[in-house]
Amino acid sequence: MIQKRIENLKEEFCKSYGSSDNIRVFNAPGRVNIIGEHTDYNGGLVLPVAIDKSILAVARVREDRILNLKSMNFSMEVSASLDDIRYRKEDDWANYPKGVAWVLEKEGLKLKGADIIFEGEIPIGSGLSSSAAIEVVSMITLLKLSNKKLPLKKIPLLCRKAENEFVGVNCGIMDQFIVTFGKKNHALILDCKTLDYKLVPFQSKGTILIVGNTKVKRGLANSEYNKRVKECAEGVKILKEYINREEIEFLSDITKEEFSRYRDKIPAPIDKRCEHVINENERVRQAVDCLEKGDLENLGKLLNASHYSLRDLYEVSCRELDVMVESSLKIKGVYGARMTGAGFGGCIIALVGEKAKEEFVKRVGRDYQRKLGIKPDFYTCQVGDGAKEI
Ligand code: GLA
């Protein structure tokens, strides 16, 4: 499958840039987050997996400082000089690779120009991290072509910086981290404050992870995302006035007991936002425990609790996500379901006994289409590796 995609890309490369001599191929996956939503920018825990849908980049180094960027998914092409990289709204998708080049140059890494063609199969704006994938694949492409090396943890950090400062979305570190460090058949538990992480086997026999795409696109930059980031920062600021512990930097540093003692000092809706983050963090700990013990029943319950909290307290769900989660939970053999990613549209994940798969796809699909008039997409998600050269 991936070989076919690479062949097509090579052909396109030849057509666009004359030959395919000396080209190199790089790949970065999308991700789904099992649990730990909106905890990353609060210094908390997350438990994502890299998936088998990816973005490929075929590239060749140039002797000048020009970046030529094309994509099989968009008609617009962009050329930019590495000596003058600026955000331009009309450059649309190309602002991601441009942002990555900008951040690397800002780090003092003198890059070489490149001709790059991207091709992606991660549905865009669906909460499966197509943006982190294009950032990370661009970063490894530019580094390798320019013969530059960085400590591995710098890659997600710098990609996040590009998204925060160049594209203008105040996202956390989760997506770029799992896209870089993901491992086949493993989930990754990440402490977003310390960046310590551990890989946990994720290969429950007889159980699958189904991704359901509501087909409602979410515009992260235009959405309420940045507002939630601000609300959480406001919550910490207020709580710090009452809790006398120096190490408090993020909401994740605050215990449940401390929060309930001072909750009434926080105005609505910030109190609800804080409650979600503090409980969600605890749910991630419990989820890892369940995963290690193979306790799918309780893992499923944690997924459901996470969804309800995102819906009622954090208020980032939407009717389409809620309908799909509710329909999923009616199917026998489904352990749990929740929205995944930032919310406001995009995808859900459901932990499903393998035998229930057909029934799930048929009935949830029918129910969703009847209620919303949209035909959803479903796919069984295989847990894959992080970004690499192929
Ligand atoms: C988006 C962001 C992540 C994270 C999730 C919500 O995917 O890019 O950093 O905040 O939303 O958990």
Side-chain angles (χ1 to χ4, degrees):
M1 184 63 184
I2 198 162
Q3 279 316 327
K4 182 86 199 122
R5 289 170 61 204
I6 295 174
E7 286 316 311
N8 288 343
L9 260 174
K10 282 187 178 167
E11 233 174 74
E12 187 63 33
F13 197 96
C14 266
K15 276 193 221 149
S16 302
Y17 302 114
S19 82
S20 58
D21 298 347
N22 304 320
I23 58 171
R24 294 170 76 173
V25 184
F26 303 88
N27 187 52
R31 66 98 188 88
V32 294
N33 188 17
I34 297 173
I35 197 162
E37 218 65 89
H38 289 276
T39 45
D40 62 350
Y41 53 85
N42 287 302
L45 303 170
V46 292
L47 187 66
V49 297
I51 60 175
D52 54 343
K53 289 199 179 292
S54 71
I55 296 183
L56 283 165
V58 169
R60 182 166 57 209
V61 70
R62 295 175 58 96
E63 287 318 311
D64 56 16
R65 298 253 298 155
I66 301 294
L67 275 187
N68 288 320
L69 306 167
K70 281 184 81 163
S71 163
M72 307 279 271
N73 305 84
F74 300 90
S75 54
M76 199 220 355
E77 304 169 20
V78 168
S79 259
S81 161
L82 287 163
D83 296 314
D84 180 28
I85 302 188
R86 269 181 266 169
Y87 180 87
R88 289 177 2 136
K89 194 164 186 305
E90 60 274 29
D91 284 352
D92 195 47
W93 67 272
N95 280 308
Y96 288 97
K98 277 174 59 185
V100 163
W102 171 84
V103 85
L104 289 172
E105 288 276 324
K106 231 174 136 209
E107 280 292 290
L109 294 161
K110 191 115 175 117
L111 298 175
K112 291 189 172 156
D115 298 325
I116 312 178
I117 306 186
F118 298 92
E119 184 268 327
E121 51 170 15
I122 307 169
I124 293 160
S126 298
L128 300 181
S129 269
S130 54
S131 22
I134 193 167
E135 286 158 12
V136 175
V137 83
S138 300
M139 187 160 287
I140 59 172
T141 302
L142 292 173
L143 287 170
K144 291 265 172 126
L145 293 189
S146 302
N147 257 324
K148 304 281 182 199
K149 273 211 170 113
L150 279 178
L152 211 51
K153 276 193 184 166
K154 271 261 176 173
I155 291 181
L157 284 169
L158 289 176
C159 286
R160 177 192 181 188
K161 194 168 177 189
E163 186 152 345
N164 290 171
E165 295 177 21
F166 195 83
V167 181
V169 180
N170 290 326
C171 66
I173 189 72
M174 166 170 73
D175 304 344
Q176 293 82 358
F177 204 93
I178 183 68
V179 170
T180 309
F181 285 92
K183 186 162 181 252
K184 194 169 166 54
N185 295 332
H186 285 75
L188 183 146
I189 173 155
L190 171 67
D191 179 328
C192 298
K193 185 173 178 178
T194 59
L195 295 191
D196 289 336
Y197 72 95
K198 194 174 108 181
L199 291 159
V200 192
F202 186 82
Q203 205 191 18
S204 314
K205 277 193 206 84
T207 315
I208 50 171
L209 208 50
I210 296 185
V211 174
N213 188 348
T214 62
K215 299 270 200 67
V216 176
K217 287 205 176 170
R218 52 163 196 93
L220 194 57
N222 306 328
S223 73
E224 296 269 302
Y225 187 91
N226 287 354
K227 196 164 148 200
R228 294 294 180 282
V229 177
K230 265 201 185 149
E231 287 173 333
C232 290
E234 185 59 29
V236 187
K237 205 170 132 214
I238 299 171
L239 286 164
K240 267 173 90 168
E241 286 171 26
Y242 298 94
I243 309 168
N244 219 350
R245 281 199 292 118
E246 281 218 332
E247 68 275 19
I248 295 179
E249 194 186 340
F250 295 107
L251 277 181
S252 60
D253 297 322
I254 291 159
T255 65
K256 275 187 162 190
E257 292 66 35
E258 286 169 332
F259 175 66
S260 36
R261 207 171 314 140
Y262 300 111
R263 180 191 182 126
D264 60 347
K265 311 285 181 207
I266 313 171
I270 300 180
D271 56 346
K272 292 199 282 182
R273 312 294 190 239
C274 298
E275 184 180 346
H276 164 75
V277 172
I278 293 168
N279 291 342
E280 180 79 353
N281 218 24
E282 185 49 37
R283 279 190 285 268
V284 182
R285 273 195 201 97
Q286 294 171 5
V288 174
D289 211 42
C290 290
L291 212 52
E292 285 174 338
K293 288 187 189 136
D295 179 357
L296 300 174
E297 297 285 343
N298 280 314
L299 181 58
K301 287 187 185 147
L302 291 165
L303 298 193
N304 301 344
S306 168
H307 183 78
Y308 298 135
S309 175
L310 289 157
R311 181 190 69 188
D312 302 333
L313 299 175
Y314 217 66
E315 296 179 285
V316 290
S317 188
C318 61
R319 170 133 196 271
E320 291 82 357
L321 288 166
D322 294 342
V323 165
M324 203 181 265
V325 165
E326 290 307 331
S327 306
S328 308
L329 295 180
K330 284 190 199 137
I331 312 287
K332 207 166 156 255
V334 171
Y335 294 99
R338 60 182 286 275
M339 52 155 273
T340 189
F344 314 105
C347 291
I348 71 147
I349 48 161
L351 193 61
V352 182
E354 208 158 18
K355 290 194 191 125
K357 182 184 165 184
E358 265 179 45
E359 170 91 347
F360 181 98
V361 171
K362 195 167 96 202
R363 281 190 41 205
V364 178
R366 202 172 53 199
D367 207 29
Y368 183 80
Q369 193 162 356
R370 188 171 52 79
K371 291 190 174 133
L372 293 149
I374 306 169
K375 193 172 180 304
D377 279 344
F378 295 102
Y379 45 93
T380 308
C381 153
Q382 306 294 334
V383 177
D385 280 322
K388 57 184 169 205
E389 180 164 10
I390 291 185

